[in-house]
Amino acid sequence: MHQPGELTEEEMVRRTQEERMQIVERYDLGREEGAVIDDWEDPKLEIYHSQDRFGFIHDKRQPLDQERTEKQQKQIDKEMSRVDKWMRMDKERNKWFPVHSKNHEKMVERVWKGVPERFRGRLWFILLDLDKIKQEQQGKYQEMKDFARKFSPEIRQIDLDVNRTYRDHIMFRERYNTRQQDLFHVLAAYSMFNTEVGYCQGMSQIAALLLMYLNSEEDAFWALSQLMASPKYNMHGFFIPGFPKLIRFQEQHDKILHKKLRRLQKHLIANGIDTGIYTLKWFFQCFLDRLPFSITIRVWDLYLLEGDSIMIAMAYTILKLHRKTLLKMGMDELMEFLQKTLEDDFGYEDDFVVETALRESLAELRSARLHSAGPPPDNELPQKPFGLVDIPSKEQERLVGHRTPIVEEEKELHRNSLRRETVNASDLSIVNDSLDSIQTPSSVRRQIKTETETQVETNSLMHLMREVNMQSKETDDSRNKQRK
């Protein structure tokens, strides 16, 4: 029953539609005359800020070129020497890129050695087969973009996230600039194209990365679609309610620790470090914001080339390379190291990390049949056709800008994290007797069914949601310093 002073359903729907229209109009106007942009939203590039070769802005008082080490310059020179080879490969694409082509193995070898920065976008375009999908879906992106302007229930959240996505990158630094407009439109259009996913926080950085290297917003849209729906990547399973693929990958990571790094697993357990905490961004966004960008971008090259096995192998590589350091740390140090320190300084040269360590880890896991989490179950795969517009009902319009209330399936992610915590506590009571006494995660999980789950589920839920939303919480302070 309507209470005095409360908005009626029609008023709430109208307010939602007006808010969406106002947001869309701000992106349409961009930075043209009349745009209203607060100073805090639009940091200026001060003289003491410098830009690195990838476009990220750093708070430094000297030109970055003067600070390049001999090794860094050597890496750039090596990269530039490969440009001609990659240009020739592009001209004879059918001889190099198709799986059974004459020079395919040689192309794979060259990706492992390092892709020239100036050719990276072209490689991604080819690996994601964007030419084909754009021809098959002519006009679909514009159609989804137009519908999103009128009906997407995710507009408000997308707007909030665009405003805090890679604001330390030259392409996204200015509020409502061309690339921010592109990012907004790509995410809004995709929220209508794939209604099972809609929009989930974490997608904005992936879409922004694609926009850094691909020529147009439509290219980035179809690249995002390929990442979500192609069997080679199936990121759809990461972002649907319940995050089933994330759970499956975390369980595979637990299994690898148990088989390959059992002493480190014991140490992490003893210090209360659950794999669900530090692997979330590793798998959710393929290591964005968790490793130096110079390493992350090469991992992305290989991920687009090889698929999921690269994510699993890289997670193992990180812990394998740093296991001695990690074994000396307590809980707070472990968290700081895994979530912050590694991004600033990985401690090893990029070439060694990728060409040697990652490659050896992948071969080792393949030999042990641990490189894959297995084929995706049906619940991870898209269940609805893409691109069939579902106009929101009045009830859904009232909820614009708000995530759908957490349903039972989505709670399973949080229960899964809780189960690991309970398993860890159980393991600690026996782990000091011998390393062999640690039970495998999957077998123990089936045994655990206690009242503890009910008592702490709320705390676990809050913790996991903070992790999902970590993008806005952990970067604002550092980026605010650059805006001053």
Side-chain angles (χ1 to χ4, degrees), residues 129-193:
D129 206 10
L130 297 187
D131 254 341
K132 180 180 178 182
I133 193 170
K134 287 174 67 177
Q135 290 175 8
E136 294 173 345
Q137 299 277 1
Q138 284 187 23
K140 180 58 72 172
Y141 171 63
Q142 187 62 47
E143 179 188 352
M144 295 297 102
K145 184 175 169 181
D146 291 342
F147 273 116
R149 296 166 62 87
K150 299 176 182 177
F151 302 114
S152 174
E154 309 285 1
I155 289 293
R156 182 167 178 258
Q157 187 60 57
I158 290 171
D159 174 50
L160 290 172
D161 288 349
V162 167
N163 194 25
R164 57 195 179 206
T165 298
Y166 288 130
R167 297 304 300 277
D168 57 348
H169 193 278
I170 194 65
M171 286 188 181
F172 303 98
R173 190 167 180 81
E174 292 182 330
R175 189 65 169 123
Y176 301 118
N177 70 359
T178 301
R179 264 326 193 211
Q180 278 206 4
Q181 291 172 315
D182 292 345
L183 180 58
F184 174 80
H185 291 310
V186 167
L187 294 171
Y190 195 79
S191 73
M192 299 301 289
F193 183 72

Side-chain angles (χ1 to χ4, degrees), residues 179-329:
R179 264 326 193 211
Q180 278 206 4
Q181 291 172 315
D182 292 345
L183 180 58
F184 174 80
H185 291 310
V186 167
L187 294 171
Y190 195 79
S191 73
M192 299 301 289
F193 183 72
N194 182 350
T195 55
E196 287 181 81
V197 169
Y199 173 73
C200 181
Q201 288 178 318
M203 290 169 60
S204 62
Q205 283 170 294
I206 294 174
L209 179 72
L210 297 171
L211 283 166
M212 289 179 198
Y213 288 97
L214 298 173
N215 289 329
S216 70
E217 61 180 276
E218 184 175 3
D219 287 354
F221 173 85
W222 290 118
L224 180 62
S225 177
Q226 291 287 73
L227 288 173
M228 290 289 180
S230 170
K232 188 174 184 179
Y233 315 110
N234 191 35
M235 281 191 159
H236 182 93
F238 282 132
F239 291 102
I240 56 176
F243 315 113
K245 187 172 182 178
L246 177 63
I247 293 173
R248 189 162 58 90
F249 269 47
Q250 288 175 341
E251 289 180 342
Q252 182 68 14
H253 183 69
D254 284 343
K255 185 177 180 181
I256 292 170
L257 284 182
H258 180 72
K259 296 284 187 180
K260 297 290 186 179
L261 295 171
R262 198 175 298 186
R263 186 181 174 200
L264 178 58
Q265 184 185 49
K266 169 190 172 182
H267 181 69
L268 294 173
I269 289 171
N271 283 277
I273 303 298
D274 177 64
T275 55
I277 298 174
Y278 65 83
T279 63
L280 193 142
K281 267 209 169 183
W282 288 9
F283 297 142
F284 228 50
Q285 298 177 319
C286 194
F287 303 96
L288 290 173
D289 297 338
R290 285 295 178 265
L291 300 176
F293 192 79
S294 60
I295 294 177
T296 303
I297 202 65
R298 292 182 65 176
V299 172
W300 267 85
D301 292 338
L302 292 164
Y303 173 59
L304 296 182
L305 177 70
E306 305 275 5
D308 283 343
S309 60
I310 294 298
M311 273 196 202
I312 292 171
M314 190 63 203
Y316 173 51
T317 301
I318 294 169
L319 298 186
K320 183 180 177 182
L321 287 177
H322 295 286
R323 63 189 183 279
K324 291 182 180 179
T325 300
L326 293 168
L327 284 167
K328 298 175 184 178
M329 293 180 170

Side-chain angles (χ1 to χ4, degrees), residues 350-361:
D350 295 0
D351 284 345
F352 172 77
V353 174
V354 176
E355 296 178 51
T356 302
L358 176 56
R359 202 163 196 176
E360 289 178 354
S361 293

